[in-house]
Amino acid sequence: MRLAVTGFVSEQAGSVASANALLLRALLARGCAVHYFSKASFVDPRPAVGNHPAFRFTDVDNILPDHTRSQLARVPILGMLAGIWDSTTYNRLLVQRITGQHEKTPFDLCLWLGDYARGAIAGIPTVSFTQGPPGTDARSLITRFDEVARLAGRHAAWKWRVMARLRLSPVGLPKFRPSDAFIVGSTQSRDTLRDLYKVAPEKIHVLPYPIDLRLFALCEKKIEAPGLRCLWLGRIIPRKRLDLFLAGAAEAIRCGVDLRLTIIGGVGFVPGYERMLAEFPHPERLDWQPFVPRENIPGVLHQHDILCQPSDEENFGSSVAEAQACGLSVIVGASNGNADYLCSRDIPLPDDHPESLAAAFAEMAERKKHHRLGDPSLSRRCAERHFALDLVAGKLLDILIKTRTDGTLES
């Protein structure tokens, strides 16, 4: 199969981009020819692929809009307008370059990794392997408005609210029409696309991201330590619900749970949102590290008993899957798609009340105290069953072949 591919790929970046790097190599290993199109200064997949003979790269650089955006990035309003111009012209040029190459040497299918297709290529189907339904962060900015205003100021809160409304409007939402099929990480995301955005259910496939099970492995000799050691791993943004994490932890500690917290993650797009960390009533129980290199994350996971991700509308949290691969128990939020991939050692929250999270912390602490956290190999086997690269890559290729076949039949 000859594929035109674009999107987000990097071995060193976040979970989505690193998972896409694994998938790109796996598609090449399974005999696909990949022609990748992107702006090299933005996404350059070549370090992740190397000199594979079936891989080609085309640099799609909208030079003037890109330069204008970089110069005006910090200027209010003008910076936003320049960013829109840059994005619009880049996506238009991207589709033009793929179309031009397809006319010379036809592709079988166009695959967008980590994004919604910004245009269709005449004569071939298009698949969008997305990061989840659009507008999740925008919805959280609206529902958490009072909290954002208290921490970042009312001016910033109103600015983000306006931008969120714009993101959720027809102007800000991606177009679904260019995609013949969508791939999302969980049934939670599938249901949102179907119910909120009216995407035809037969077009939606559920497939989790792959995890590097060699990098994220069981610890050969885990060091025991007192208390329940809980890790938060991810950006500090409203949707990730750091407020719920801290409120639940504070309630658990108040009720006598010996809880030790580690938070690893930088401040996202709302400066000041991290101020809630300084308000935590038990600072001696909390360690915040804004950044840890990705290659050091397995070692950090091995130093903890559980990982907690109470996010709202989480498509698929790779940090949850990585924790399971390392043998940790996990606690996930009520609308976290990772609930599809849990084992008996894990706890999905029934709601977003701090008392429910506190109860989950207490339950995990009791399990540890009485040596009932369970065998870490159960979590490892769960990860192998769902997130192994060969398994995920095989299912992805099946979806691509089916979409290509269906598109051929329709044409």
Side-chain angles (χ1 to χ4, degrees), residues 53-361:
F55 179 82
R56 288 187 61 192
F57 176 76
T58 292
D59 189 0
V60 181
D61 197 343
N62 56 334
I63 299 174
L64 179 59
D66 185 51
H67 176 73
T68 303
R69 174 199 52 78
S70 66
Q71 295 298 307
L72 298 178
R74 297 183 180 277
V75 180
I77 301 178
L78 287 178
M80 181 183 71
L81 294 175
I84 294 172
W85 183 38
D86 177 35
S87 176
T88 301
T89 56
Y90 170 65
N91 286 318
R92 185 183 300 121
L93 183 60
L94 197 59
V95 173
Q96 289 174 355
R97 292 287 174 82
I98 297 174
T99 299
Q101 187 61 46
H102 173 62
E103 291 171 351
K104 297 176 182 176
T105 311
F107 296 111
D108 295 303
L109 184 141
C110 184
L111 173 63
W112 291 66
L113 291 172
D115 200 1
Y116 287 86
R118 304 297 173 168
I121 312 302
I124 59 171
T126 296
V127 174
S128 295
F129 196 156
T130 76
Q131 298 182 44
T136 54
D137 284 328
R139 284 189 285 276
S140 73
L141 284 166
I142 294 170
T143 58
R144 319 288 325 154
F145 174 80
D146 290 340
E147 183 179 79
V148 173
R150 183 179 67 83
L151 295 165
R154 296 198 68 82
H155 175 77
W158 275 107
K159 179 191 76 171
W160 285 112
R161 185 167 188 160
V162 169
M163 293 182 69
R165 291 293 185 189
L166 180 63
R167 176 72 174 91
L168 295 172
S169 73
V171 175
L173 289 173
K175 307 300 181 186
F176 299 112
R177 189 181 300 275
S179 301
D180 297 280
F182 303 86
I183 304 174
V184 293
S186 63
T187 56
Q188 187 276 135
S189 291
R190 179 200 64 195
D191 294 347
T192 301
L193 276 181
R194 180 194 64 202
D195 299 338
L196 185 60
Y197 292 108
K198 310 306 178 186
V199 175
E202 63 272 15
K203 288 188 172 186
I204 310 172
H205 305 269
V206 176
L207 186 65
Y209 297 135
I211 299 300
D212 188 341
L213 295 175
R214 292 174 298 178
L215 177 62
F216 295 93
L218 290 173
C219 184
E220 294 182 3
K221 188 176 181 181
K222 193 164 185 173
I223 299 174
E224 292 299 325
L228 182 70
R229 299 168 297 174
C230 177
L231 177 64
W232 158 293
L233 186 58
R235 296 172 298 153
I236 297 178
I237 59 174
R239 185 178 61 81
K240 295 292 186 179
R241 296 306 305 274
L242 181 61
D243 62 308
L244 174 57
F245 179 85
L246 295 175
E251 176 65 14
I253 293 170
R254 188 187 69 80
C255 293
V257 177
D258 186 3
L259 188 59
R260 318 294 173 89
L261 308 174
T262 302
I263 295 174
I264 294 178
V267 181
F269 50 80
V270 184
Y273 199 72
E274 77 285 359
R275 289 175 185 167
M276 66 176 68
L277 291 168
E279 300 171 352
F280 188 63
H282 307 282
E284 74 283 357
R285 303 284 191 101
L286 188 152
D287 175 35
W288 175 37
Q289 301 177 47
F291 174 75
V292 171
R294 180 167 175 77
E295 61 269 20
N296 295 345
I297 294 298
V300 172
L301 287 164
H302 294 153
Q303 296 168 13
H304 292 82
D305 302 303
I306 67 171
L307 179 136
C308 178
Q309 188 180 80
S311 314
D312 291 335
E313 289 197 76
E314 188 71 47
N315 169 54
F316 177 82
S318 290
S319 61
V320 174
E322 291 163 357
Q324 291 173 297
C326 289
L328 275 68
S329 299
V330 299
I331 299 172
V332 299
S335 58
N336 191 313
N338 288 76
D340 292 345
Y341 313 109
L342 302 184
C343 71
S344 59
R345 304 178 71 227
D346 308 319
I347 298 178
L349 296 175
D351 50 50
D352 65 349
H353 300 154
E355 296 79 10
S356 298
L357 180 52
F361 284 140

